[in-house]
Amino acid sequence: MSTTPPLLGIAQAFNAVNAALGRACAWLTLFLVLGTAVVVVLRYGFGIGATALQELVMYAHALVFMGAAAWTLQRGGHVRVDIFYQKFSGRRQALVEILGNLLFLLPFCLFLGWNSWDYVTASWSTLEKSGESGGLAFVYLQKTIILVLVVSLVLQSLAELIRYGYILAGKLPAPEVKHG
């Protein structure tokens, strides 16, 4: 009977949280299509402005991209230039992933979190509303999506570091490398 090491359990929990968030955000793309269609039909078909719906589409758009970024990372869906990487062994790829997380992703997340914190908290302190007539009263929630991005990417980066650390240590099998 094998038990999951505690660190791998934490990584799996982070993966589960980001997968759930990512899947939920992915479903918002259906709303993006329908909401945009309704805005266009109302505006150009009936001459009716739908500011609140247009802003809601904008909020959903931000959430699709920022809320699903960590899930996309988890699934290996971000664009990468892998001319050399694809020929590396699984353990060498793990080392590249660890260095990429430590040198690029985590510092980026810390920079973005640090620089957006005041922006988001200032919006929350006034419960910022839309400046548009008929707009939504939830601008502070939209701005909070930036911090959702930061937190989810940090959690996913930690999960990746744990997994690749186990691969480097030989405690997990390296992913099969596809050459070609």
Side-chain angles (χ1 to χ4, degrees), residues 100-125:
N101 275 275
L102 291 174
L103 298 175
F104 298 108
L105 182 56
L106 285 174
F108 167 77
C109 289
L110 294 174
F111 174 81
L112 183 59
W114 178 265
N115 284 295
S116 63
W117 182 258
D118 288 342
Y119 176 70
V120 174
T121 57
S123 184
W124 270 88
S125 70

Side-chain angles (χ1 to χ4, degrees), residues 6-16 155-156 158-160 162-163:
L7 279 178
L8 278 178
I10 291 170
Q12 289 169 350
F14 291 166
N15 283 335
L155 292 178
Q156 192 57 46
L158 293 174
E160 300 288 311
I162 291 168
R163 183 168 64 93

Side-chain angles (χ1 to χ4, degrees), residues 5-119:
L7 279 178
L8 278 178
I10 291 170
Q12 289 169 350
F14 291 166
N15 283 335
V17 167
N18 281 328
L21 176 62
R23 283 188 195 97
C25 290
W27 278 103
L28 288 174
T29 56
L30 180 59
F31 169 72
L32 290 177
V33 171
L34 296 175
T36 301
V38 169
V39 167
V40 169
V41 168
L42 287 174
R43 177 179 298 147
Y44 296 107
F46 300 101
I48 300 170
T51 305
L53 180 57
Q54 193 170 346
E55 287 184 0
L56 196 56
V57 166
M58 184 176 61
Y59 288 23
H61 187 256
L63 197 51
V64 165
F65 286 95
M66 289 191 255
W71 184 48
T72 304
L73 174 65
Q74 180 185 114
R75 297 170 49 111
H78 287 286
V79 175
R80 65 170 68 218
V81 179
D82 63 353
I83 296 167
F84 300 109
Y85 180 89
Q86 68 184 353
K87 297 187 185 331
F88 289 169
S89 69
R91 289 188 67 183
R92 193 171 214 181
Q93 285 181 355
L95 179 61
V96 169
E97 295 293 340
I98 288 171
L99 291 173
N101 275 275
L102 291 174
L103 298 175
F104 298 108
L105 182 56
L106 285 174
F108 167 77
C109 289
L110 294 174
F111 174 81
L112 183 59
W114 178 265
N115 284 295
S116 63
W117 182 258
D118 288 342
Y119 176 70

